[in-house]
Amino acid sequence: MCERCAPNALFPSLSRRSLFGLGAGLALTAGLTRPGWAQGAASPPAPISGAEALDRLMAGNARYAANKPNQRDFSAGRAARTRSQHPFASIVSCADSRLAPELAFDQGAGDLFVVRVAGNFVNEDGLASLEFGAAVLQSPLILVLGHTRCGAIASTIDVVKNGTELPGHLPSLINAIKPAVLDAQKSGAADLLDAAIEANVRLNVERLKNAAPILAERVAQKKLTVAGGVYDLATGKVKLI
């Protein structure tokens, strides 16, 4: 989020709690909520739970994997979406070009709030974005989505095992992923890459569940579900873990 677009810059007299309450209230009073609205529905559907949001994602992934996606008119609802956004799920995804969450889950514009970084880990910026998605946009689900043959995690394994030195800012990315590789090594898994990919998802799910004050509070109140999955590049299927 840019500095001048930060909540306190826009509303200097509001506390963070007040701002999030204001954002949620504006979303509700505008009468623009969730998936049906993204397709230009005349009346917004009722809010859904995190479990229902996850079911919706997995149903969409089944359509995608079977190459039977819903037909969409991407111009429908475009004008309405200029006024507000109400995604039913937030996704933490790898930046890998072979994985596009909106396609993988067969969702339309306005349905998903996506944070992407190579290695699908959560740093401070990503956490702040997800807090915005949960508290202001009222998204009831965060899904941490890894994928098979992840190059960022493979590179981290190379650094851990062989001491390889990477240029530029890549070491900061490696340091964020390294705890997952170390956990996978301790497990003695036959395929270290696959084990590290899953460990990385699990570690970031736990971080988000316990991220105080915003996400942890919403999880405790059952207003937010945090889940993890791995996308198979070969089949297009997502396996929840």
Side-chain angles (χ1 to χ4, degrees):
M1 186 178 294
C2 65
E3 181 177 342
R4 68 178 180 176
C5 295
N8 289 339
L10 293 173
F11 302 98
S13 64
L14 293 177
S15 67
R16 179 173 57 185
R17 182 177 296 275
S18 298
L19 175 62
F20 285 141
L22 174 64
L26 289 175
L28 291 174
T29 56
L32 302 173
T33 55
R34 315 215 188 278
W37 169 83
Q39 296 302 314
S43 58
I48 62 174
S49 68
E52 290 170 323
L54 186 57
D55 286 344
R56 183 167 293 170
L57 285 181
M58 296 307 293
N61 178 247
R63 293 193 301 271
Y64 170 77
N67 199 28
K68 296 180 179 179
N70 286 336
Q71 297 297 314
R72 286 183 165 77
D73 178 355
F74 288 99
S75 67
R78 184 176 292 156
R81 288 192 295 271
T82 65
R83 297 194 299 271
S84 188
Q85 59 169 322
H86 297 271
F88 75 89
S90 297
I91 310 290
V92 181
S93 170
C94 184
D96 193 291
S97 63
R98 298 165 292 181
L99 170 56
E102 289 84 357
L103 295 179
F105 292 110
D106 190 30
Q107 300 301 319
D111 286 338
L112 303 181
F113 187 72
V114 181
V115 175
R116 300 190 70 170
V117 62
N120 50 272
F121 61 87
V122 180
N123 58 15
E124 290 300 306
D125 293 335
L127 176 57
S129 296
L130 293 165
E131 288 176 336
F132 183 86
V136 177
L137 302 182
Q138 300 289 292
S139 171
L141 171 69
I142 298 174
L143 178 68
V144 180
L145 185 64
H147 69 90
T148 57
R149 319 317 300 170
C150 180
I153 294 181
S155 294
T156 305
I157 291 173
D158 183 38
V159 170
V160 170
K161 294 181 68 175
N162 304 316
T164 302
E165 295 185 6
L166 300 180
H169 294 86
L170 288 171
S172 64
L173 185 149
I174 297 300
N175 288 337
I177 301 172
K178 189 180 293 185
V181 172
L182 296 177
D183 276 3
Q185 278 186 323
K186 293 175 185 177
S187 73
D191 190 319
L192 181 56
L193 178 57
D194 285 350
I197 288 167
E198 292 197 7
N200 186 50
V201 169
R202 291 192 175 98
L203 284 174
N204 283 281
V205 166
E206 289 305 309
R207 182 184 181 191
L208 291 170
K209 284 181 177 179
N210 295 287
I214 295 171
L215 299 187
E217 181 178 340
R218 295 184 74 82
V219 169
Q221 295 173 342
K222 300 188 184 304
K223 294 180 179 179
L224 177 68
T225 297
V226 184
V230 175
Y231 173 87
D232 190 312
L233 290 176
T235 66
K237 295 180 179 180
V238 172
K239 177 184 72 171
L240 296 178
I241 61 173

